[in-house]
């Protein structure tokens, strides 16, 4: 059974060995693929000294693979792709005014028909730009001669620089030079090594590409060129159209023969509106009203100077340039002064600014939060009393001691700017947020470090030194004072929020016999603002830190008729109704004792059978209310259907008012 006839071995002149089953020699016998096996099958089976398939193939002693194998081909393609990618990164351009309805395949067909040589072309539908890569300067120049100015539809194509790539190589150099302690290369160089600058077309095309986005007010505040009355009229018309579309869609979704709700049937009498529309409520303050602004850190439209401001477009549009916010009327003068001071500092810093293209750099974003003096909404001139600055950085690749040195220089520069300004700028807290993610939107657990403010701590603490730097500020809605943490949500228009909350209270007909549910309460702004108009406020919030802030704000304002629960509204609302509704059951349903660590925060407040009597006595002392109202400012994902369908009280949706 151990012998078989080896036809190939006998013909190969290997003597009697061809008749004996030999062990395979992986170093010799399996380094090449069997051509018979690939074509029509090999009769030698496992005795064949060639590999039957990629799984049996082994590397040759010199480290190479069979040239006909997939492994060898894949390795060659990878090496060629890396080389091409390296060349392409030096010759990458943006083609502007491409028809938006073109697909990537349509674009490539167009380029091939016109004899354009390229290494890559990327485009998505609904984009008017595409990104092209070239392997050499010669290929780039010839393509520019063909494409630049070529008619396409009713426009002419423009080949321009991809703005982020203009400083990509220098950014890596800056980082290395900064860590080595060398002097940074001047930012205002004349565009050396820019392949499109030789004939002057690069700068011109870049300016033309950014022309639609150069006005920062058109990007940040698109209606700024209209009077405030015209802005309100435009918004009113947009809201009316949205409401009409909502009614039409709901009507279409109703099954045939179904009796329509009264409010939907009455929409015909209201010109298609599902409800009465009372117009747009104007803001008490229309300039400098934002108490929170997030400023990007990057390169300006020239691709050279570092700028702190607002991004002029999206990466999808091929625009990553940042413009100064001086023309934006919704930003306060205090914020603009701090932006200018911080921009001066980062221009002198040796550490690079953030590059969204390859996700490298150190300085990422500046967030400014402001707290104003207390007063009514009619006092439009309320001054800014407290300011918090949060600087987001990416510490990857930067030694800790070097980062601390930059933080110290930054704090000194900002304190100097605040104290030397006329009038002096308020500066209460300075924090650094270390974030290594791709997006500037940092998670809730992102590390935050409060920095000392030399010379200012004593001012904020009545002349006494602080034990640790401040990490919060205060703001007012009406006469209610709120402590604001760096990442806490707070309405960006404090005066407008007061007017909004007051109107919601009027519509809800609040009174001393009212139980007010503040659903998705956050730091408790709505409930605490209306607490004096109701018998009791119960706030519901998922975020535990926000619940802690809400309770702290209640204590700060001396409000005793508030209770805050950490949990999902759909999980706790039914039980709370049983506890506080005047028509609810006298005895809540009994269940097993809650787990350790749960309770009010987890929304699981069932009593243990051991203390059933004492718990019932405590529940009997709780006030009962007949008028129960919920005011909801839901998150962007919306409110859970269990809350809206299973609750027996009206919902006043602040986000719709």
């Amino acid at each position: 059974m151990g012998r078989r006839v080896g036809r190939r071995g006998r013909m190969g002149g290997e003597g009697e060995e061809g008749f004996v089953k030999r062990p395979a020699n992986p170093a010799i016998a399996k380094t090449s693929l069997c051509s018979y096996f690939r074509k029509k099958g090999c009769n030698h089976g496992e005795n064949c000294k060639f590999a039957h398939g990629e799984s049996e193939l082994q590397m040759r002693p010199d480290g190479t693979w069979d040239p006909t194998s997939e492994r060898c081909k894949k390795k060659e393609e990878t090496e060629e792709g890396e080389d091409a990618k390296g060349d392409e990164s030096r010759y990458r351009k943006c083609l502007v005014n491409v028809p938006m309805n073109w697909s990537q395949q349509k674009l490539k067909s167009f380029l091939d028909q016109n004899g354009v040589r390229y290494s890559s072309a990327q485009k998505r539908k609904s984009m008017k730009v595409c990104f092209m890569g070239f392997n050499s300067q010669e290929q780039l120049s010839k393509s520019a001669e063909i494409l630049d100015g070529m008619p396409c539809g009713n426009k002419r194509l423009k080949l321009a620089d991809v703005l982020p790539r203009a400083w990509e190589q220098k950014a890596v150099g800056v980082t290395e030079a900064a860590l080595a302690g060398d002097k940074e290369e001047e930012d205002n160089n004349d565009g050396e090594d820019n392949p499109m600058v030789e004939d002057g077309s690069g700068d011109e095309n870049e300016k033309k590409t950014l022309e639609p986005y150069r006005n920062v007010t058109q990007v940040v505040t698109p209606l700024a060129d209209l009077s405030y009355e015209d802005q309100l009229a435009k918004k009113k018309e947009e809201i009316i159209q949205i409401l009409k579309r909502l009614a039409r869609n709901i009507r279409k979704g109703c099954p045939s023969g179904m009796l329509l709700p009264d409010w939907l049937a009455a929409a015909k009498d209201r010109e298609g509106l599902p409800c009465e529309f009372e117009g747009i409520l104007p803001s008490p303050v229309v300039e400098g009203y934002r108490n929170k602004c997030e400023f990007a850190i990057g390169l300006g439209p020239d691709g050279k100077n570092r700028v702190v401001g607002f991004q002029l477009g999206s990466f999808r549009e091929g625009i990553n340039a940042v413009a100064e916010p001086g023309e934006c009327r919704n930003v306060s003068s205090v914020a603009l002064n701090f932006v200018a001071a911080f921009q001066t500092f980062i221009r002198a810093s040796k550490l690079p600014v953030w590059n969204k293209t390859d996700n490298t750099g150190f300085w990422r974003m500046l967030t400014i939060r402001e707290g104003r003096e207390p007063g009514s909404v009619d006092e439009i001139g309320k001054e800014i009393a407290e300011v918090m600055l949060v600087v987001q950085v990416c510490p990857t690749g930067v030694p800790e001691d070097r980062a601390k040195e930059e933080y110290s220089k930054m704090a000194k520069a900002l304190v100097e700017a605040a104290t030397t300004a006329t009038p002096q700028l308020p500066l209460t807290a300075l924090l650094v947020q270390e974030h290594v993610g791709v997006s500037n939107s940092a998670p809730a657990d992102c590390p935050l470090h409060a920095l000392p403010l030399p010379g200012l701590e004593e001012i904020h603490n009545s002349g006494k030194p602080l034990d640790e730097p401040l990490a919060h500020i205060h703001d007012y809605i009406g006469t209610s004072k709120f402590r604001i943490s760096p990442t806490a949500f707070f309405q960006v228009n404090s005066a407008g929020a007061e007017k909004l909350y007051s109107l919601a209270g009027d519509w809800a007909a609040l009174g001393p016999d009212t139980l007010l549910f503040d659903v998705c309460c956050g730091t408790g702004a709505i409930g605490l603002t209306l607490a004096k108009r109701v018998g009791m406020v119960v706030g519901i919030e998922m975020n535990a830190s926000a619940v802690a802030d809400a309770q702290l704000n209640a204590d700060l304002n001396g409000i005793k008729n508030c209770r805050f629960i950490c949990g999902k509204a759909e999980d706790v609302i039914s039980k709370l109704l049983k506890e506080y509704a005047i028509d609810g059951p006298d005895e809540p349903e009994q269940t097993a004792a809650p787990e350790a660590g749960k309770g009010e925060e987890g929304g699981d407040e069932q009593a243990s059978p051991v203390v059933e009597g004492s718990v019932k006595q405590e529940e009997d002392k709780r006030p009962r209310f007949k008028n129960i109202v919920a005011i909801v400012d839901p998150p962007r994902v919306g409110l859970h259907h269990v809350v809206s369908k299973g609750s027996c009280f009206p919902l006043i949706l602040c986000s719709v008012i």
Side-chain angles (χ1 to χ4, degrees):
M1 297 295 293
R3 298 172 61 88
R4 63 178 293 182
V5 176
R7 184 180 304 172
R8 188 171 178 176
R10 179 180 294 178
M11 294 179 63
E14 292 181 338
E16 294 297 319
E17 291 184 0
F19 296 90
V20 181
K21 184 178 179 179
R22 302 173 300 172
N25 188 342
I28 300 176
K30 301 295 183 180
T31 57
S32 298
L33 290 171
C34 178
S35 58
Y36 286 95
F37 178 80
R38 288 190 293 183
K39 292 180 180 179
K40 55 183 178 180
C42 179
N43 297 327
H44 295 89
E46 61 182 2
N47 283 334
C48 184
K49 61 181 180 181
F50 300 101
H52 288 180
E54 295 285 336
S55 60
E56 293 185 7
L57 186 64
Q58 298 185 10
M59 184 181 293
R60 293 179 176 179
D62 60 354
T64 62
W65 295 91
D66 183 346
T68 62
S69 66
E70 293 296 330
R71 289 173 176 164
C72 182
K73 294 178 182 178
K74 186 175 181 180
K75 184 178 180 181
E76 291 176 353
E77 291 176 357
T78 302
E79 293 174 351
E80 291 175 0
E82 292 175 352
D83 294 339
K85 185 178 180 180
D87 293 336
E88 178 186 327
S89 64
R90 295 194 296 270
Y91 309 113
R92 185 173 172 82
K93 294 295 174 179
C94 176
L95 187 62
V96 188
N97 290 334
V98 181
M100 297 180 66
N101 60 345
W102 277 17
S103 63
Q104 183 167 302
Q105 186 61 37
K106 173 67 175 176
L107 171 67
K108 291 184 177 180
S109 299
F110 171 80
L111 297 174
D112 294 339
Q113 291 174 3
N114 288 277
V116 179
R117 297 181 58 193
Y118 57 93
S119 62
S120 66
Q122 299 176 346
K123 184 190 180 297
R124 293 181 181 176
K125 283 190 176 181
S126 74
M127 290 180 61
K128 64 179 180 181
V129 297
C130 73
F131 299 97
M132 299 183 62
F134 304 91
N135 290 329
S136 64
Q137 175 62 38
E138 180 182 2
Q139 190 180 85
L140 171 64
S141 301
K142 291 182 178 180
S143 299
E145 293 177 0
I146 299 174
L147 293 174
D148 208 13
M150 174 183 289
C152 186
N154 58 351
K155 296 184 179 180
R156 291 185 177 273
L157 298 178
K158 302 175 184 179
L159 196 64
D161 290 337
V162 178
L163 190 59
R165 297 289 185 179
W167 68 288
E168 180 179 12
Q169 294 182 354
K170 184 176 68 174
V172 178
V174 167
T175 303
E176 295 174 353
L179 297 180
D182 297 333
K183 185 177 180 180
E184 179 185 359
E185 179 184 356
E186 292 294 331
D187 284 334
N188 57 350
N189 61 75
D190 295 329
E192 296 179 359
D193 298 330
N194 189 339
M196 291 299 291
V197 174
E198 297 177 359
D199 56 0
S201 61
D203 291 340
E204 184 66 22
N205 285 329
E206 182 178 274
K207 292 178 181 178
K208 291 180 181 179
T209 303
L210 293 176
E211 192 64 32
Y213 309 97
R214 293 184 68 86
N215 191 343
V216 67
T217 59
Q218 295 179 359
V219 179
V220 180
T221 52
L223 303 181
D225 57 334
L226 303 177
S227 65
Y228 189 56
E229 291 73 17
D230 292 340
Q231 293 181 29
L232 295 180
K234 185 176 179 61
K235 292 179 179 179
K236 177 180 178 180
E237 183 59 30
E238 291 178 352
I239 294 298
I240 289 176
Q241 296 303 321
I242 291 174
L243 291 175
K244 288 182 177 180
R245 185 165 59 250
L246 174 64
R248 290 196 302 267
N249 293 339
I250 294 178
R251 185 186 296 272
K252 291 179 182 178
C254 293
S256 178
M258 174 183 174
L259 184 64
L260 297 178
D262 294 339
W263 63 268
L264 188 56
K268 294 182 179 180
D269 300 331
R270 292 189 290 260
E271 298 181 352
L273 290 173
C275 60
E276 295 292 340
F277 182 69
E278 299 190 4
I280 302 291
L281 192 67
S283 171
V285 185
V286 296
E287 292 191 6
Y289 61 85
R290 287 191 65 94
N291 56 37
K292 178 183 178 182
C293 290
E294 296 179 340
F295 300 98
I297 304 174
L299 295 184
D302 58 359
K304 300 174 183 178
N305 293 319
R306 299 180 176 187
V307 176
V308 180
F310 295 118
Q311 191 169 318
L312 291 178
S314 64
F315 181 77
R316 182 178 181 181
E317 299 171 311
I319 303 296
N320 274 337
V322 178
E324 297 180 11
E327 301 177 4
C328 298
R329 297 165 55 188
N330 59 343
V331 183
S332 69
S333 59
V334 172
L336 293 177
N337 286 329
F338 275 116
V339 167
F342 186 69
Q343 178 175 279
T344 302
F345 167 74
I346 65 163
R347 286 183 174 180
S349 174
K350 294 181 179 180
L351 297 181
V353 296
W354 185 249
N355 181 357
K356 288 187 175 181
T357 304
D358 55 10
N359 302 320
T360 60
F362 184 77
W363 304 108
R364 301 186 59 150
M365 185 174 68
L366 171 67
T367 301
I368 300 180
R369 307 197 70 161
E370 304 167 353
R372 287 166 171 76
E373 294 178 346
S376 67
V377 295
D378 298 327
E379 299 177 15
I380 298 178
K382 293 190 295 183
E383 295 183 356
I384 298 174
E386 300 182 31
V387 172
M388 174 195 297
L389 305 180
V390 182
V391 180
Q392 186 184 92
V393 301
C394 178
T396 303
V398 180
E400 184 177 355
D401 56 345
R402 180 60 190 279
K404 289 183 178 180
E405 180 183 354
E406 287 290 317
Y407 300 158
S408 178
K409 292 179 180 179
M410 176 181 66
K412 183 178 179 181
L414 293 175
V415 169
E416 182 179 358
T419 54
T420 58
T422 305
Q424 180 173 322
L425 301 176
L427 181 56
T428 309
L430 174 62
L431 299 98
V432 171
Q433 184 182 57
E434 296 181 345
H435 176 45
V436 297
V438 174
S439 170
N440 286 347
S441 180
D445 58 349
C446 193
L448 278 165
H449 309 287
L451 302 181
L453 300 173
L456 290 182
E457 294 95 336
E458 292 80 4
I459 297 177
H460 299 311
N461 200 35
S462 303
K464 300 178 182 179
L466 294 174
D467 295 333
E468 58 183 17
L470 292 176
H472 62 271
I473 59 173
H474 298 89
D475 199 357
Y476 287 83
I477 295 182
T479 57
S480 300
K481 186 177 183 180
F482 294 90
R483 169 171 166 162
I484 303 175
S485 302
T487 59
F489 171 78
F490 199 75
Q491 293 290 346
V492 296
N493 187 344
S494 304
E498 179 185 356
K499 208 167 184 178
L500 181 69
Y501 297 163
S502 177
L503 180 62
D506 295 340
W507 283 7
L510 303 179
D513 61 340
T514 300
L515 170 64
L516 176 61
F517 281 100
D518 187 359
V519 184
C520 307
C521 66
T523 56
I526 299 178
L528 294 176
T529 303
L530 301 176
K532 295 180 180 179
R533 301 175 57 176
V534 299
M536 185 174 181
V537 174
V538 177
I540 305 172
E541 171 61 44
M542 291 176 55
N543 190 316
S545 61
V547 172
D549 287 342
Q551 187 59 56
L552 183 64
N553 288 328
D555 298 338
L556 194 64
N557 291 277
I559 298 176
K560 305 298 183 182
N561 63 334
C562 287
R563 174 189 177 192
F564 296 97
I565 296 176
C566 182
K568 294 182 178 181
E570 58 267 27
D571 294 338
V572 302
I573 199 71
S574 298
K575 181 176 183 297
L576 291 172
L577 283 173
K578 293 178 181 178
E579 292 182 12
Y580 291 104
I582 198 170
D583 296 331
D586 294 334
E587 293 187 10
E589 297 179 5
Q590 298 295 333
T591 59
E595 298 178 8
K598 289 189 177 181
E600 185 165 306
E601 282 195 356
D604 187 358
E605 297 182 316
Q606 279 79 6
S608 170
V610 180
V611 292
E612 180 178 348
S614 60
V615 171
K616 183 176 180 180
Q617 292 178 0
E618 181 180 350
E619 290 178 348
D620 291 340
K621 296 179 181 179
R622 290 179 178 174
R624 297 273 182 170
F625 299 91
K626 185 175 182 180
N627 184 26
I628 300 178
V629 176
I631 295 183
V632 187
D633 189 1
R636 292 184 179 181
V637 296
L639 193 65
H640 198 281
H641 67 90
V642 173
V643 180
S644 57
K645 289 184 178 180
S647 303
C648 303
F649 45 74
L651 296 179
I652 308 298
L653 301 178
C654 293
S655 57
V656 178
I657 293 177

